[in-house]
Amino acid sequence: MDNVLDLKVVKLFVDTCHQSWLKGWNERNGGNMSYRMKEEEVAQIRHLFDFSGEWRPIGLTVENLAGEFFTVTGSGKYYKNVLREPENNICIVQIDEKGENYKIVWGLCEGGVPTSEFPTHLLNHSIKKEKTNGAYRVIMHAHPANTIALTFLLPLEDKVFTREIWEMITECPIVFPAGIGVVPWMVCGSSDIAYATGEKIKQFDAVIWSHHGIFCCGQDFDVAFGLMDTIEKSAEILIKVMSCGGKKQFITREQILALAEPYNVPIDPGMLD
Ligand code: 2HA
Ligand code: ZN
């Protein structure tokens, strides 16, 4: 292979950015995404990397990510432009042997650094890698409008958001049986939001950042994107229902839990108390 952009997973990364842009989740430079690359993927393009760049501090330590490579969106870059000029809007970085520094080895050809949320991504990759025995590889953050709108209307509690969003589409408890976490408004790009999200990501695959957006993860791009899409669709239905005078009937607690057995999913009954 003689072009990083020919690697299937890099094509998928670029395509997922574009799909997210088409959804309207990434106004201006909003949103960011990262992918923890597989060894066999890195092996196919490693000879195209430039290792002469400088190591830069991550700002926190992620020991279990030492030596790993990530594909990640650039800080201040627009999702709108990723498909047209991937090499100027995304990059591949390597983590050092201590899990304390990173180096850009490909991409951001006109200059730049990884997303301002990169420390948050890495901390959450570290937690999910451990929790899923390495299965989870994708983290996405974006600004879907209906989900953000709900954070001005509902109490900012995990159980309230889980119940309300589960109820709007029957498949929601099957898609995210653990539920959804919510964190209060925080300064984005800060270590506070990184650690607060990290606490929630131990239990959930999606965390809503109040008055800001969704942060979610999964084993691949389809799963992570599908999770964001499902939550946002459900939030849209809820906003419509609220705008039309509110619910006149409900999916009951028992009905939600009845989905667990036929679909073989561990729906957390504790989220419905
Ligand atoms: O602008 O979305 O949270 C990128 C972001 C920061
Ligand atoms: Zn954001």
Side-chain angles (χ1 to χ4, degrees):
M1 192 168 297
D2 56 13
N3 189 339
V4 168
L5 295 170
D6 288 338
L7 190 71
K8 187 177 172 195
V9 83
V10 174
K11 284 187 190 162
L12 266 176
F13 188 98
V14 169
D15 181 65
T16 306
C17 286
H18 194 64
Q19 298 299 329
S20 190
W21 158 249
L22 294 177
K23 284 281 184 187
W25 300 339
N26 301 87
E27 76 293 337
R28 202 174 183 277
N29 61 318
N32 30 76
M33 188 163 70
S34 60
Y35 170 72
R36 187 168 58 80
M37 300 181 78
K38 295 181 181 167
E39 267 177 42
E40 61 266 30
E41 291 160 353
V42 173
Q44 289 179 68
I45 53 172
R46 201 183 170 104
H47 61 286
L48 301 168
F49 292 167
D50 174 2
F51 290 95
S52 68
E54 64 187 74
W55 290 107
R56 295 176 185 156
I58 295 165
L60 44 84
T61 306
V62 282
E63 267 174 34
N64 68 339
L65 302 181
E68 297 240 31
F69 290 81
F70 288 84
T71 311
V72 59
T73 50
S75 176
K77 303 298 182 187
Y78 291 27
Y79 269 48
K80 175 172 76 67
N81 299 335
V82 171
L83 181 62
R84 191 166 27 84
E85 290 182 48
E87 66 283 0
N88 292 329
N89 291 287
I90 68 172
C91 62
I92 295 175
V93 306
Q94 183 182 21
I95 308 298
D96 73 359
E97 290 310 315
K98 288 184 170 166
E100 288 176 355
N101 300 284
Y102 74 88
K103 177 193 282 190
I104 297 175
V105 297
W106 176 88
L108 290 174
C109 296
E110 293 180 343
V113 291
T115 168
S116 55
E117 305 286 3
F118 195 43
T120 306
H121 280 238
L122 289 180
L123 180 74
N124 285 275
H125 272 294
S126 168
I127 292 167
K128 276 300 188 193
K129 182 184 175 188
E130 190 186 324
K131 285 233 158 229
T132 67
N133 285 324
Y136 276 37
R137 293 185 174 274
V138 176
I139 289 187
M140 291 179 63
H141 162 64
H143 303 163
N146 293 285
T147 305
I148 296 171
L150 283 182
T151 67
F152 293 93
L153 297 168
L154 299 177
L156 302 175
E157 295 166 19
D158 303 343
K159 286 185 184 180
V160 173
F161 268 79
T162 297
R163 175 71 185 253
E164 293 288 345
I165 289 180
W166 269 0
E167 250 188 61
M168 287 301 113
I169 305 177
T170 292
E171 296 219 342
C172 281
I174 301 168
V175 175
F176 43 101
I180 311 172
V182 184
V183 296
W185 184 90
M186 288 183 180
V187 175
C188 36
S190 67
S191 57
D192 282 355
I193 206 166
Y195 286 108
T197 307
E199 278 308 307
K200 300 280 181 184
I201 218 78
K202 291 174 186 166
Q203 182 178 355
F204 307 110
D205 285 347
V207 179
I208 294 174
W209 289 358
S210 295
H211 321 322
H212 183 150
I214 300 178
F215 186 94
C216 71
C217 54
Q219 47 273 63
D220 60 30
F221 294 101
D222 277 350
V223 171
F225 187 91
L227 178 55
M228 176 101 52
D229 201 10
T230 307
I231 292 170
E232 172 59 4
K233 173 98 180 266
S234 204
E236 182 183 350
I237 296 168
L238 185 51
I239 293 289
K240 287 184 204 265
V241 170
M242 289 168 120
S243 309
C244 296
K247 289 177 235 175
K248 303 288 189 288
Q249 53 261 334
F250 309 83
I251 303 181
T252 66
R253 181 179 195 277
E254 289 64 36
Q255 286 171 329
I256 291 175
L257 294 176
L259 295 163
E261 199 193 300
Y263 289 95
N264 193 24
V265 284
I267 298 173
D268 183 353
M271 296 307 289
L272 295 167
D273 291 342

